[in-house]
């Protein structure tokens, strides 16, 4: 008998697949059900290490379909939900916002309704855990940090849809006492990230001697966290977080985009046996992202103080691990770089 049945949504994506692998291996007495619709960002290759584990099951399905979600909850009677499924790329939200509203808001609503119905007011040992982003807080100037008390001020269709979902999650806590917890994390990087996000896109381009597109002047600042550190924080929040609470998770690794790319180029020169400075010649400044948020930075003192979490890796180490993974997993990336990806790339960048 499994002690707990946990639904992880979006478990074939970047962070979700790391989380699923970690939970399946660390908690053999939990049953982990991974629900993912396998959009362009979902990839079962990410999960090949655990596919035949007895405490793991994959279900292909869409969180926007409420009848399907209700049936799934009736059948499995989950004890916990860790909700990651989302449309997650800001640039795609700018060119096509509607999908973000459907998946990120309606999808979350469907999961909340199904949890409430399934748990039927018996909430002991139940938990709905919403995985959110620091982008809901808006954009910082040069000073200051986002705390859990910072007012929401989302500025892209992506962050607006995530903020809306977070509001719904909190509303279900206040209105129905549905046991919830939310964490808001900064930018993740690491193995298995789809190469539309800055770091894997740049690694792939550098390797293939293609231009590295930097929006505007590369002055925007992000706080980078290695994905496995995010997963260890999720584990803690899921098991020890206080119901109804929010936890900010950050890397303490603030970098401007251009600083980050120079560090990455240095590692790439070293790994590819190129002369110092060779890869950086590929840097190309392109048209800025519309409404580009200047700076995100997280104060993660609450999760440190209350749950004892802090990031284990600094960026310099994490980026080496990431580069090495991409260089050793050429097949993974080759399977992604198809005509659909090329079409997206050409439309987005208009450079080669
Ligand atoms: P991702 O785009 O790599 O993965 C998203 C997954 O959700 C994919 O596997 C996709 O197939 C699945 N999915 C999308 N629509 C679905 C639907 N309708 N039904 C079922 N599955 C669907 O995203 P990620 O970077 O791994 O992010 C995961 C979560 O973490 C998201 O909720 C995101 O908002 C949040 N987050 C991400 C970051 C980051 O830096 N990547 C930072 C903070 C928070
Ligand atoms: P991204 O990885 O898309 O994450 P987010 O927008 O969620 O922070 O982008 C990280 C930063 O890198 C962001 O400031 C936008 C910038 N960026 C570029 O300069 N060029 C690119 O090609 C991409 C994808 C992002």
């Amino acid at each position: 008998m499994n002690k707990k049945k946990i639904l992880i949504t979006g478990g074939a994506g970047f962070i979700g697949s790391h989380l699923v692998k970690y939970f399946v291996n660390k908690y053999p007495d939990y049953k982990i059900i991974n629900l993912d619709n396998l959009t362009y960002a979902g990839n079962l290759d990410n999960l090949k290490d655990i596919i035949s584990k007895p405490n793991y099951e994959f279900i292909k399905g869409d969180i926007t379909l409420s009848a399907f979600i209700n049936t799934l909850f009736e059948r499995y009677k989950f004890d916990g939900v860790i909700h990651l499924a989302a449309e997650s790329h800001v640039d795609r939200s700018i060119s096509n916002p509607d999908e973000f509203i459907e998946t990120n808001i309606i999808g979350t609503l469907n999961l909340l309704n199904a949890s409430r119905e399934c748990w039927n007011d018996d909430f002991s040992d139940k938990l709905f855990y919403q995985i959110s982003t620091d982008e809901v807080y808006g954009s910082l100037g040069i000073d200051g940090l986002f705390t859990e008390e910072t007012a929401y001020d989302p500025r892209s269709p992506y962050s607006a849809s995530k903020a809306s979902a977070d509001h719904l999650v909190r509303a279900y806590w206040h209105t129905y006492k549905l046991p919830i917890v939310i964490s808001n994390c900064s930018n993740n990087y690491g193995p298995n990230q789809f190469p539309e996000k800055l770091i894997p896109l740049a690694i792939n381009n550098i390797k293939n001697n293609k231009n590295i597109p930097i929006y505007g002047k590369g002055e925007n600042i992000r706080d980078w966290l290695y994905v496995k550190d995010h997963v260890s924080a999720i584990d803690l929040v899921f098991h020890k977080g206080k119901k109804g609470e929010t936890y900010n998770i950050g890397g303490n690794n603030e970098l401007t985009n251009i600083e980050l790319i120079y560090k990455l180029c240095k590692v790439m020169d070293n790994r590819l046996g190129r002369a110092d400075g060779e890869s950086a010649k590929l840097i190309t400044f392109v048209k800025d992202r519309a409404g580009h948020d200047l700076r995100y930075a997280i104060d993660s003192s609450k999760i440190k103080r209350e749950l004892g979490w802090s990031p284990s890796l600094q960026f310099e180490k994490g980026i080496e691990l990431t580069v090495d993974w991409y260089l050793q997993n050429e097949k993974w990336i080759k399977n992604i770089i198809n005509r659909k990806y090329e079409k997206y790339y050409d439309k987005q960048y208009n450079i080669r």
Side-chain angles (χ1 to χ4, degrees), residues 88-91 133-135 158 187-188 193 195-202 212-216 218 220-222 224 257 261 286 288-289 292-294 296 344-345 348-349:
S88 70
H89 189 37
V90 174
D91 291 329
T133 164
D134 60 356
E135 302 189 27
Y158 164 65
N187 284 60
N188 284 216
Q193 189 170 31
E196 64 186 353
K197 304 278 169 76
L198 179 65
I199 291 180
L201 184 139
I212 312 163
I214 302 296
Y215 297 157
N220 305 69
I221 295 171
R222 299 291 182 264
W224 294 92
N257 292 336
I261 291 296
V286 299
D288 208 353
R289 173 185 279 173
H292 197 170
D293 288 341
L294 176 67
Y296 306 140
Y344 162 80
Y345 191 94
Q348 178 68 22
Y349 295 102

Side-chain angles (χ1 to χ4, degrees), residues 199-211:
I199 291 180
L201 184 139
I203 293 175
N204 188 47
N205 283 16
I206 295 168
K207 196 183 89 194
N208 296 305
N209 264 310
K210 281 171 64 175
N211 290 319

Side-chain angles (χ1 to χ4, degrees), residues 224-263:
W224 294 92
L225 180 69
Y226 192 65
V227 62
K228 291 186 187 183
D229 277 332
H230 188 186
V231 165
S232 72
I234 294 174
D235 183 19
L236 266 181
V237 171
F238 183 72
H239 288 101
K240 305 225 166 88
K242 197 166 160 232
K243 291 188 178 147
E245 292 284 314
T246 298
Y247 296 89
N248 279 356
I249 304 170
N252 264 334
N253 271 303
E254 276 187 62
L255 292 168
T256 64
N257 292 336
I258 195 70
E259 280 168 344
L260 179 155
I261 291 296
Y262 274 111
K263 282 178 192 280

Side-chain angles (χ1 to χ4, degrees), residues 14 17-18 189-193 226-228 318 321-322 325-326 332:
F14 167 47
S17 62
H18 284 277
Y189 70 100
N192 306 93
Q193 189 170 31
Y226 192 65
V227 62
K228 291 186 187 183
L321 293 175
T322 305
W325 186 87
Y326 279 92
W332 184 90

Side-chain angles (χ1 to χ4, degrees), residues 324-336:
D324 290 341
W325 186 87
Y326 279 92
L327 294 180
Q328 284 157 18
N329 288 275
E330 280 194 1
K331 216 171 136 208
W332 184 90
I333 199 128
K334 262 199 192 125
N335 289 341
I336 286 175

